[in-house]
Amino acid sequence: MSLFPSTFENIQKAAQLLKEGELIAFPTETVYGLGADAFQEKACQKIYTLKGRPTFNPLIVHCFEKEQAETLAIFGKEAQKLADQFWPGPLTLVLKKKKTSHLPEIVTSGLETVALRVPLHPTARALLKAFGGPIAAPSANRSGFLSPTCATHVLEDFQTKLVMVLDSPPIEVGLESTILDLSEETPILLREGGLEKERIEVCLGQKIFKPQKISKITSPGQLLRHYAPSLPLRLNVGDVKPNEGLLAFGKPFLGSKISFNLSETENLEEAAQNLFAFLHFLDAREDIIGIAVQSIPEEGLGRAINDRLRRAAEGSKH
Ligand code: TXA
Ligand code: MG
């Protein structure tokens, strides 16, 4: 049994395990993270092995506050502004790594940049405080599979291979953080996520764009086949077949034996919160042959939701 409620004692224990070079899983407001001491090379190596993650795909380094992040990377004006407004929260900034950062190469896959984030979830914050240093953590799922939004998802993926999963009530955002690259002259949106692009644009007073061509790193976040459920997905459907499960949004279509509604009131925040849990539920059903997904508007959080759904649909074709 490796599920532990997020009590003070268990958080202290988790911090101790991290110091000893172990991995632990913990909730953040976006998805669960699989954490290691960011300064211990061997511990970070374990993350790649356990997830089955290619070592060319760098990790996000989680910090307790901006001041800690500033010891690892160079913050320009834009980074300062965004960090002041949106940290703690679901925004990851890719910045030039400081030569004095002492981060092992494996954390950044040898890149000269580092991805930094200050999470909002109280358990993540308490853990970062108790640990006292930065924690490298990707999402706590096997590479290429659905992201975990509750502790049992983490257990399903890793079974007894993890000594500790800190458990918490449902998490608030439910989609991975938005990743913004500020290491070059123009800001680049590497991943749509829990913080809407529009809010970043208002803060910076400029439009932001996705990369024009695939960048130097090929990350699962950028690969089309990602978040792969085992059942095929049909997107933007106009109907549902009796042997399909339905992932509804708004007024649900009739005719399916099993349906989950992301948000009856068409609230995108609620839909984001529910997305991975409902996909997990539907994907575990053995009495359906596929998942039909009603259309979701391509705006605000809807863009990140549609991005995950497209990747899931693409992944399930293989
Ligand atoms: O919400 C989140 O961001 C969650 C929680 C646990 O914080 N973490 C997460 O990590 O989603 P992961 O590893 O699943 O996704 C991290 C993404 C990857 O696509 C990786 O390629 C990208 O961040 N990344 C990390 N460092 C980078 C860098 N230096 N330059 C560009 N992309 C980077
Ligand atoms: Mg991930």
Side-chain angles (χ1 to χ4, degrees):
M1 183 59 184
S2 54
L3 258 184
F4 292 76
S6 297
T7 59
F8 178 78
E9 290 75 24
N10 286 337
I11 286 168
Q12 298 298 316
K13 193 170 165 186
Q16 185 55 37
L17 284 165
L18 287 174
K19 284 179 191 150
E20 290 164 12
E22 296 290 341
L23 304 185
I24 58 115
F26 63 99
T28 82
E29 73 280 14
T30 58
V31 299
Y32 275 69
L34 180 64
D37 179 347
F39 290 135
Q40 290 189 47
E41 186 175 1
K42 273 196 185 146
C44 294
Q45 175 63 55
K46 285 186 196 169
I47 292 180
Y48 289 90
T49 311
L50 187 63
K51 273 184 68 94
R53 180 182 179 105
T55 46
F56 60 73
N57 188 17
L59 307 175
I60 295 179
V61 176
H62 295 66
C63 295
F64 179 68
E65 55 195 357
K66 189 178 85 177
E67 287 65 30
Q68 188 178 54
E70 279 174 321
T71 65
L72 305 174
I74 301 163
F75 280 64
K77 244 189 11 241
E78 272 93 14
Q80 292 287 356
K81 245 189 186 170
L82 290 168
D84 288 341
Q85 180 155 354
F86 298 115
W87 280 357
L91 173 67
T92 294
L93 298 177
V94 172
L95 302 172
K96 286 220 167 77
K97 191 163 69 170
K98 275 193 175 164
K99 292 215 166 63
T100 51
S101 77
H102 300 299
L103 287 171
E105 292 269 292
I106 189 160
V107 171
T108 56
S109 302
L111 294 173
E112 283 172 11
T113 55
V114 58
L116 294 167
R117 156 162 143 75
V118 175
L120 179 64
H121 192 287
T123 301
R125 300 201 59 65
L127 177 65
L128 282 159
K129 193 162 189 202
F131 178 60
I135 300 176
S139 51
N141 53 284
R142 281 180 297 149
S143 194
F145 287 79
L146 293 171
S147 290
T149 50
C150 64
T152 50
H153 295 158
V154 182
L155 276 192
E156 279 164 24
D157 263 22
F158 298 118
Q159 313 275 333
T160 53
K161 291 185 198 124
L162 255 182
V163 281
M164 188 174 210
V165 181
L166 285 173
D167 193 3
S168 94
I171 57 187
E172 297 235 308
V173 179
L175 288 173
E176 300 89 338
S177 60
T178 300
I179 305 182
L180 188 71
D181 186 347
L182 290 175
S183 68
E184 305 283 343
E185 237 145 71
T186 32
I188 295 178
L189 185 66
L190 293 181
R191 178 173 76 185
E192 305 255 18
L195 179 70
E196 297 95 324
K197 178 180 85 158
E198 293 85 340
R199 297 185 59 197
I200 298 175
E201 290 176 335
V202 169
C203 177
L204 293 181
Q206 70 180 100
K207 285 257 170 222
I208 53 167
F209 299 96
K210 293 182 180 172
Q212 296 208 310
K213 53 181 187 319
I214 292 293
S215 63
K216 35 198 185 286
I217 62 152
T218 315
S219 70
Q222 291 159 351
L223 285 174
L224 203 50
R225 186 191 183 286
H226 195 41
Y227 309 105
S230 50
L231 289 174
L233 261 77
R234 278 202 307 133
L235 304 184
N236 304 318
V237 294
D239 63 355
V240 57
K241 302 186 175 113
N243 55 0
E244 284 180 321
L246 177 70
L247 195 58
F249 182 78
K251 193 169 185 295
F253 296 150
L254 300 177
S256 169
K257 69 175 105 176
I258 167 86
S259 87
F260 287 97
N261 202 328
L262 289 170
S263 173
E264 271 172 42
T265 58
E266 304 192 3
N267 176 322
L268 290 168
E269 276 178 32
E270 186 187 9
Q273 249 176 21
N274 288 330
L275 177 70
F276 284 121
F278 290 176
L279 280 174
H280 270 98
F281 277 129
L282 286 167
D283 202 36
R285 297 277 296 216
E286 285 176 359
D287 55 346
I288 52 176
I289 58 144
I291 302 168
V293 187
Q294 288 183 218
S295 71
I296 292 158
E298 194 72 28
E299 63 188 39
L301 287 178
R303 277 196 314 273
I305 296 172
N306 283 323
D307 167 78
R308 304 306 187 268
L309 285 167
R310 277 192 293 271
R311 290 174 202 281
E314 193 56 35
S316 62
K317 279 184 199 157
H318 295 262

